């Protein structure tokens, strides 16, 4: 029996999993990242978690064919280097080399969103579809494309940054330095910002009484107000969904996916957000694209990145 280890590394938590050849998740550990203690500490912690999984399953390091890790930020998957990660405060950090030195097992790293989408394509909502476009809606908005089990990277490993498409009429400053990026609106943080701005502008809304301080409003409050028939909340969700549909229309026309898998915390808004998104997407693309397309929500939740990282490690070690 061959085994693979998958790692989903975030700024808050590390999730490590041990998987079999069919990428069934056999065991899983989750611990705080402790990024403030430095990259070497984080890598050592990952190594310890993988050793713990190996011990729990009564196997040895020699039974593990490869380790895959999904890391937030700009990743060079060929050289195994994290060029930059704001969440971890890493720059030009040689993750694969350092983890390999600790464990003696081949290590392959990649961007966390790509690993999330690869996991959904292999074992989740995208399973069985030749071309899977995955989009995550969280603090930001990002996407990845999987074609017949293989990821598309672009010329410099940064394909998929759909959140940084600039949208006409939007003026919020994005963390990337541009203004009006899609993710300034169609993200969990973007939804919360719009809710706060609606309250501060004096628009009639029950959101003004949901929390003592408008700055504490979140996307969850917005959804709750929507469900109570609040017109301001409905308008925000509709506007945001339409912008998301417009952004996706560019990707659908260019890439012609079989399925779009939508994940991340923002997907919890459900049809409040996805309903207007679908309507706008259908309006903006040719019927030959729309009639071919399915839209699904992700189903693997926190396991997607672990599974995708293991799949990626298997693909890479066999090359």
């Amino acid at each position: 029996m061959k085994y693979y280890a998958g790692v989903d590394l975030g700024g808050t938590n590390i999730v490590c999993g041990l998987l079999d050849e069919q990428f069934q998740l056999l065991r899983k550990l989750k611990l705080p990242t402790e990024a403030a203690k430095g990259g070497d500490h984080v890598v050592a912690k990952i190594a310890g978690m993988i050793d713990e999984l190996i011990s729990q399953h009564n196997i040895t390091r020699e039974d593990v064919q490869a380790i895959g890790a999904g890391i937030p930020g700009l990743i060079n998957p060929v050289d195994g280097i994290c060029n930059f990660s704001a969440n971890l405060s890493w720059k030009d950090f040689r993750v694969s080399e350092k983890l390999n030195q600790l464990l003696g097992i081949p290590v392959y790293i990649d961007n966390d969103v790509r690993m999330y989408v690869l996991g959904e394509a292999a074992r989740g909502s995208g399973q069985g579809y030749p071309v899977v476009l995955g989009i995550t809606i969280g603090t930001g908005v990002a996407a990845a494309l999987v074609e017949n089990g293989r990821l598309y990277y672009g010329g410099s490993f940064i394909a998929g940054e759909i959140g940084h498409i600039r949208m006409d009429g939007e003026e919020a400053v994005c963390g990337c330095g541009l203004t009006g990026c899609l993710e300034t609106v169609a993200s969990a943080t973007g939804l919360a910002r719009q809710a706060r701005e609606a309250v501060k502008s004096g628009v009639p809304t029950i959101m003004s009484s949901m929390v003592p301080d408008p700055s504490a409003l979140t996307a969850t409050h917005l959804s709750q107000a929507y469900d109570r028939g609040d017109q301001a909340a409905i308008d925000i969700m509709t506007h945001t969904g339409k912008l998301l549909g417009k952004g996706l229309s560019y990707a659908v026309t260019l890439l012609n996916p079989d399925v779009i898998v939508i994940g991340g915390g923002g997907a919890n808004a459900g049809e409040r957000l996805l309903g207007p998104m679908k309507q706008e997407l259908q309006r903006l693309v040719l019927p030959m694209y729309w009639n071919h397309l399915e839209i699904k929500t992700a189903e693997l939740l926190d396991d997607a990145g672990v599974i995708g990282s293991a799949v990626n490690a298997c693909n890479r070690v066999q090359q």
Side-chain angles (χ1 to χ4, degrees), residues 18-286:
L18 183 69
L19 300 93
D20 63 16
E21 293 171 281
Q22 286 73 46
F23 306 112
Q24 295 283 350
L25 188 55
L26 305 172
R27 296 178 183 274
K28 183 171 70 171
L29 288 175
K30 182 176 181 179
L31 291 174
T33 304
E34 300 177 318
K37 294 184 179 181
D40 288 338
H41 172 82
V42 173
V43 169
K45 193 166 190 176
I46 293 170
M49 293 171 73
I50 292 172
D51 269 338
E52 176 64 22
L53 291 169
I54 289 170
S55 176
Q56 288 179 2
H57 207 65
N58 294 317
I59 59 175
T60 68
R61 291 180 180 178
E62 287 70 28
D63 295 310
V64 179
Q65 305 302 300
I67 299 165
I71 300 171
L74 302 178
I75 308 299
N76 181 332
V78 174
D79 296 328
I81 298 171
C82 175
N83 294 129
F84 178 73
S85 176
N87 290 5
L88 300 167
S89 298
W90 287 359
K91 184 177 181 182
D92 297 330
F93 190 63
R94 306 187 73 86
V95 184
S96 294
E97 177 183 307
K98 290 176 178 290
L99 193 52
N100 174 261
Q101 288 173 349
L102 291 172
L103 292 172
I105 302 170
V107 179
Y108 302 96
I109 67 168
D110 214 314
N111 172 266
D112 60 339
V113 173
R114 284 199 287 261
M115 296 300 91
Y116 180 97
V117 175
L118 186 59
E120 285 290 339
R123 300 291 303 180
S125 294
Q127 189 172 7
Y129 294 90
V131 183
V132 179
L133 176 63
I135 179 169
T136 58
I137 306 171
T139 304
V141 178
L145 184 76
V146 179
E147 182 179 12
N148 295 314
R150 299 289 175 172
L151 285 157
Y152 176 76
Y153 287 95
S156 56
F157 310 116
I158 54 174
E161 292 295 339
I162 194 172
H164 298 293
I165 294 175
R166 299 178 71 177
M167 310 303 292
D168 290 343
E170 299 300 323
E171 298 179 353
V173 177
C174 182
C176 73
L178 298 176
T179 58
C181 289
L182 177 61
E183 71 175 41
T184 66
V185 182
S187 61
T189 49
L191 288 167
R193 175 185 61 79
Q194 293 178 82
R196 292 192 295 268
E197 289 178 354
V199 171
K200 290 178 180 177
S201 68
V203 172
T205 171
I206 61 173
M207 291 186 288
S208 60
S209 61
M210 294 179 79
V211 292
D213 181 0
S215 65
L217 283 168
T218 67
T220 299
H221 292 119
L222 182 66
S223 291
Q224 292 169 348
Y226 180 104
D227 292 342
R228 291 167 60 182
D230 184 78
Q231 190 58 50
I234 292 170
D235 290 345
I236 290 170
M237 283 290 192
T238 301
H239 172 69
T240 302
K242 286 184 175 180
L243 276 184
L244 186 57
K246 184 177 182 180
L248 283 172
S249 72
Y250 304 140
V252 167
T253 303
L254 183 64
L255 302 172
N256 187 205
D258 298 299
V259 64
I260 297 175
V261 177
I262 300 175
N268 294 335
E271 287 301 306
R272 308 177 189 92
L273 181 66
L274 303 186
M277 180 207 80
K278 293 172 188 174
Q279 292 176 2
E280 189 71 357
L281 179 56
Q282 183 178 12
R283 187 180 75 84
L284 292 174
V285 300
L286 291 169

